[in-house]
Amino acid sequence: QVHMMESGGGEVQTGGSLRLTCTTSGLSFDENDLIWFREAPGKSREGISCISWGGTPYYADSVKGRFTISRDKVKNTLYLQMNNLNPEDTAKYYCAAGDGIILRETLCNFDSGPDYWGPGTQVTVSS
């Protein structure tokens, strides 16, 4: 049985940093691609960063240069280091696992949809 759980969200001021953690169990990082999605109020969910099972990272233009995705294959944990946050980054952040990353206008998604999701963690950036 696969479990995914995000943590590390919170409220920060503009310019601040947060590190999100996605703890997983029952999931092989050698067989799954991983995506960080976010969903802001009134907006559709978007995949802002992803990492393939082979370790290649991708970033949406909106976060490139500010966010860093990484993973620990021993701990089966996914991370998202978020620096220089601004109010437009306010959203609920989710980690997801699946097979086959596709990129559309620099946003990540799964070719056939995610197989597993976490419940999400809220990030609020105040000005």
Side-chain angles (χ1 to χ4, degrees), residues 94-112:
Y94 303 85
C95 57
D99 183 33
I101 288 174
I102 57 173
L103 299 175
R104 290 201 177 98
E105 298 180 350
T106 81
L107 294 176
C108 302
N109 211 334
F110 291 108
D111 187 30
S112 57

Side-chain angles (χ1 to χ4, degrees), residues 18 21-22 26 28 30 32 34 39 52 56 61 71-72 80 88-89 100 104 110 114 121 124 126:
L18 286 172
T21 298
C22 175
S28 170
D30 286 326
N32 286 271
L34 303 164
E39 186 170 1
S52 69
T56 303
D61 284 347
R71 62 181 185 174
D72 186 325
L80 187 68
E88 288 69 41
D89 297 315
R104 290 201 177 98
F110 291 108
T121 186
T124 302
S126 57

Side-chain angles (χ1 to χ4, degrees), residues 31-120:
E31 298 175 356
N32 286 271
D33 302 312
L34 303 164
I35 298 180
W36 282 104
F37 289 90
R38 70 183 181 187
E39 186 170 1
K43 297 185 178 180
S44 57
R45 190 171 295 185
E46 57 181 14
I48 51 148
S49 183
C50 49
I51 187 165
S52 69
W53 63 267
T56 303
Y58 302 93
Y59 300 96
D61 284 347
S62 58
V63 305
K64 192 176 295 182
R66 300 187 298 123
F67 290 11
T68 303
I69 191 171
S70 62
R71 62 181 185 174
D72 186 325
K73 292 169 60 177
V74 174
K75 296 181 179 179
N76 278 349
T77 301
L78 178 70
Y79 303 99
L80 187 68
Q81 178 66 43
M82 307 187 297
N83 297 328
N84 195 20
L85 287 160
N86 59 65
E88 288 69 41
D89 297 315
T90 294
K92 195 165 186 180
Y93 286 71
Y94 303 85
C95 57
D99 183 33
I101 288 174
I102 57 173
L103 299 175
R104 290 201 177 98
E105 298 180 350
T106 81
L107 294 176
C108 302
N109 211 334
F110 291 108
D111 187 30
S112 57
D115 293 325
Y116 308 103
W117 286 98

